[in-house]
Amino acid sequence: MQPTPIQAAAQRLAQAQKVAVLTGAGISAESGVPTFRGADGLWEQYRPEDLATPQAFARDPELVWRWYQWRRELISRCAPNPAHRALKDLEYRAEAFTLITQNVDGLHRLAGSRNLLEVHGNLWMVRCTACGALYEERSLELSPRPACRECGGLLRPHVVWFGESLDGRILDAAWRAAAGCQVMLVVGTSAVVQPAAGLASVAKQAGAFVIEVNLEPTPNSREVDLSLMGKAGEILPQLLAV
């Protein structure tokens, strides 16, 4: 009897020693994380693209910080879902494992993932614009102009804004993980945001078995080895059942 697609994917994962995973907004949407493109109140006057820029922060850091504190307060109500937890369990099972995420909500960290590459940063991390200090700051009561605990300089959210480059070290590590894995999972991503969208192709070209998990088809769906349509929180736990 031929295995089902989920059984085939689970068998591939069970046999793999080197696994890479790419996650996008879809996995966090199942935890209730909003996309912030339907904001209410004050934020109806602004587009994310107008606030998440170095220029906006230089012009009005208090406004930008108010927006990020609003976002952080919303995300603070969200918790890792079964998909996040399944990826944490997969990390402990694989010999070599790298989780690459486009999300900035920090839910993978909360779930217990360790070998994690946050290519767009993390909302719960702050970076000093003066001395470069980087640390976690989970307070929802920050000053409108939060000061660095090291030097007193102005803090900014540790996220990649429009017009900024990704961290080259993190990106290089992501490319290496994709090129060196035996199986790659692509979960909850539309496969249109570059350069992360190209990781599946890198893995495929290097000989990896690529599995997509998404609610609907993406530009990657015809190129991957298996495309599993459905909720990540339902599918990923099944992939670890073998």
Side-chain angles (χ1 to χ4, degrees), residues 15 17 26 28 44 54 73 76 78 80 97 99 116 151 162 184 200:
Q15 296 165 0
Q17 295 178 322
S28 292
E44 290 181 351
E73 197 277 330
S76 71
C78 302
F97 179 93
L99 174 53
L116 176 65
C151 75
F162 293 100
M184 183 168 198

Side-chain angles (χ1 to χ4, degrees), residues 51-161:
L51 290 172
T53 68
Q55 294 79 13
F57 190 72
R59 183 171 58 248
D60 194 342
E62 292 187 14
L63 174 66
V64 173
W65 261 116
R66 286 171 62 197
W67 183 58
Y68 273 95
Q69 283 296 81
W70 172 76
R71 291 182 62 179
R72 283 155 56 105
E73 197 277 330
L74 290 178
I75 290 175
S76 71
R77 308 172 194 171
C78 302
N81 63 56
H84 293 104
R85 295 192 291 271
L87 292 177
K88 180 264 294 182
D89 293 340
L90 180 59
E91 177 173 0
Y92 283 87
R93 194 174 79 175
E95 180 179 306
F97 179 93
T98 304
L99 174 53
I100 308 153
T101 187
Q102 299 167 281
N103 302 331
V104 298
D105 49 54
L107 290 179
H108 284 301
R109 290 194 187 201
L110 280 182
S113 291
R114 298 172 303 171
N115 195 13
L116 176 65
L117 299 174
E118 295 168 313
V119 294
H120 293 149
N122 186 311
L123 279 176
W124 303 103
M125 301 292 290
V126 293
R127 187 168 79 246
C128 181
T129 58
C131 72
L134 175 66
Y135 53 91
E136 184 177 55
E137 176 54 79
R138 300 193 70 88
S139 173
L140 298 177
E141 305 296 332
L142 287 179
S143 158
R145 295 179 67 94
C148 174
R149 66 188 183 194
E150 303 293 335
C151 75
L154 178 64
L155 293 173
R156 59 162 281 177
H158 183 58
V159 295
V160 179
W161 283 331

Side-chain angles (χ1 to χ4, degrees), residues 25 40 119 135 144 147 157 179 189 217-218 224-225 232:
D40 56 7
V119 294
Y135 53 91
T189 175
T218 73
V224 300
D225 296 287

Side-chain angles (χ1 to χ4, degrees), residues 203-226:
K204 180 73 173 172
Q205 292 169 9
F209 191 87
V210 181
I211 304 165
E212 176 184 62
V213 179
N214 206 49
L215 284 175
E216 56 190 15
T218 73
N220 275 339
S221 297
R222 293 185 179 182
E223 299 181 11
V224 300
D225 296 287
L226 278 175

